[in-house]
Amino acid sequence: MPKSTRLCEYSGVLHVHSTYSDGSGTVAEIVSAAQAAGLDYLILTDHNGLQAKAGGWDGWHGSLLVSVGEEVSSRHGHCLALGTATHVYHKQPLRNILQDIAAQKGLSFVAHPHGVYRPFLKLRDHSWKDWEVSEFTGLEIWSYMFDWARDLKYHRFLRHYRAPDDRIKGPLAQTLSTWDRLCQQQRVVGIGGVDAHARRYPVLPFVVFPYSDLFQTIRTHVLVPEAFRREPYEDTQTLLNSLANGRCFAAYDRLADGTGTRFGSADGSLHMGDEAEFVSPVDMLFEVPTEADLTVIGDGDVLAQAVGRQLVVTADRPGVYRAEARIGHRPWIFTNPIYLRHRAGVR
């Protein structure tokens, strides 16, 4: 990307369920909540179906861009299918699911890759079961609901629910380790998701995690080459292309607004998601809008840390470089990597 390129930034949420599957809200109610939360985009992913697409919900709704995908929910793992026109059959091997998404030129993101928790006696396991199958676009590296539920027990539900932010610890170390490993062989895009259902239970007089609340939490910020044009198809493709290329980062915006975060070469020639040939050392700049604990990671190892709004580190060898930020030891921002390969295009 040319040095002079200036990127536009939009923030939104992925992984949202409506009454078309197991959410409690209609699409109209969800759109209203997203608009009230000030989101720029919303990606709806009901389980195993595209009813909202058939209902005409793709496109602009006031200031909100809606894109309808689905969560393909197999017994062997769940996958977000984005940009697909037809339903992907979920009762088939994982490799076939990914191939069907790719055949439609869609994007595939493994949902909650290590999503396992035990609220009582029965283990709830929604993890990806076969890592030999890795022909996906990326991973949902941070899932709000699975982060909140990872140490949940039913007898502690109210304690968890009254102070949900205290339970948010960030992406699982196992997920980040898997991501770092996979990125050394291929481009793997990391996104954040909310897994919003806004559940209603007969024994409770309130909605558990209403959409309006969850939409304030983990957002995925996308960086696009030019502003949306208010053209539904073109703008949706621009959004999906930025996600496909890793031109995005996950931010816990309820902790602090992550808008303005940048990670790339100090001269502006490389941005998160870019892949280039390593020719000589590259100064990497990590910049955030609020003072935080900053970390730059290369091939899974910590390279440099600082407290402030900027951190510069020299990448002196080929590798996969990404950045993280925390505020008061609480997880905040996780960027996508920059890939410096021995030869451009080698994965």
Side-chain angles (χ1 to χ4, degrees):
M1 182 168 285
K3 180 177 178 179
S4 60
T5 297
R6 298 186 63 181
L7 301 174
C8 298
E9 181 174 347
Y10 297 100
S11 67
V13 297
L14 300 92
H15 202 166
V16 180
H17 302 275
S18 76
T19 51
Y20 282 125
S21 61
D22 55 349
S24 70
T26 65
V27 179
E29 291 169 336
I30 292 170
V31 167
S32 179
Q35 291 169 334
L39 300 183
D40 298 312
Y41 74 88
L42 168 77
I43 297 183
L44 191 70
T45 50
D46 281 309
H47 290 282
N48 302 325
L50 292 170
Q51 294 94 328
K53 183 181 290 290
W57 284 102
D58 272 322
W60 284 99
H61 300 270
S63 60
L64 179 73
L65 178 62
V66 175
S67 178
V68 179
E70 67 174 320
E71 181 174 358
V72 185
S73 304
S74 161
R75 291 187 298 109
H76 304 291
H78 293 199
C79 179
L80 304 181
L82 312 183
T84 49
T86 60
H87 165 60
V88 175
Y89 183 58
H90 62 286
K91 293 183 179 181
Q92 60 178 325
L94 293 178
R95 192 177 302 277
N96 293 62
I97 289 173
L98 297 178
Q99 288 173 348
D100 284 358
I101 296 171
Q104 295 190 53
K105 302 187 185 306
L107 311 183
S108 51
F109 290 92
V110 174
H112 36 74
H114 300 98
V116 179
Y117 65 104
R118 190 190 296 271
F120 192 51
L121 296 177
K122 184 178 180 181
L123 183 72
R124 305 292 179 88
D125 185 353
H126 301 286
S127 62
W128 192 253
K129 303 299 191 299
D130 186 357
W131 289 101
E132 294 299 314
V133 180
S134 60
E135 297 84 5
F136 37 69
T137 307
L139 307 176
E140 184 183 42
I141 60 168
W142 194 2
S143 167
Y144 181 87
M145 288 310 306
F146 276 84
D147 191 354
W148 178 80
R150 70 173 67 173
D151 61 351
L152 172 67
K153 303 297 181 185
Y154 284 141
H155 67 276
R156 296 202 301 257
F157 172 81
L158 287 179
R159 190 190 315 168
H160 267 63
Y161 190 74
R162 286 173 179 146
D165 290 346
D166 293 345
R167 309 297 169 181
I168 300 305
K169 301 176 178 64
L172 283 168
Q174 184 180 11
T175 300
L176 292 179
S177 176
T178 300
W179 187 32
D180 288 329
R181 174 179 58 81
L182 290 171
C183 283
Q184 293 178 52
Q185 280 76 51
Q186 64 189 63
R187 182 194 303 275
V188 179
V189 178
I191 60 171
V194 290
D195 203 356
H197 293 79
R199 293 192 186 278
R200 298 180 186 274
Y201 295 94
V203 297
L204 297 176
F206 55 86
V207 175
V208 177
F209 289 113
Y211 298 105
S212 57
D213 191 24
L214 286 180
F215 291 170
Q216 303 288 345
T217 61
I218 297 174
R219 297 176 177 176
T220 297
H221 294 241
V222 297
L223 306 176
V224 301
E226 59 182 24
F228 288 150
R229 299 181 177 182
R230 308 286 299 179
E231 296 289 342
Y233 177 79
E234 289 79 1
D235 293 337
T236 298
Q237 292 308 305
T238 296
L239 170 64
L240 295 179
N241 285 340
S242 290
L243 289 172
N245 291 321
R247 190 80 23 91
C248 56
F249 62 92
Y252 191 30
D253 276 358
R254 184 150 66 189
L255 183 61
D257 187 356
T259 301
T261 296
R262 296 294 183 268
F263 176 62
S265 59
D267 66 3
S269 62
L270 294 173
H271 302 274
M272 63 183 82
D274 281 346
E275 185 171 7
E277 181 180 1
F278 180 85
V279 177
S280 60
V282 178
D283 288 336
M284 296 287 192
L285 171 64
F286 181 30
E287 186 172 25
V288 297
T290 300
E291 183 171 294
D293 300 311
L294 308 178
T295 303
V296 172
I297 294 168
D299 288 340
D301 297 322
V302 173
L303 296 185
Q305 294 180 301
V307 176
R309 294 179 58 182
Q310 288 188 348
L311 172 59
V312 177
V313 60
T314 300
D316 59 1
R317 63 183 186 275
V320 180
Y321 298 87
R322 61 178 181 84
E324 302 177 359
R326 289 170 171 78
I327 296 177
H329 304 293
R330 299 181 65 187
W332 181 30
I333 287 171
F334 294 81
T335 78
N336 265 278
I338 291 174
Y339 305 82
L340 298 179
R341 308 294 195 187
H342 287 281
R343 296 192 308 277
V346 173
R347 300 184 178 183

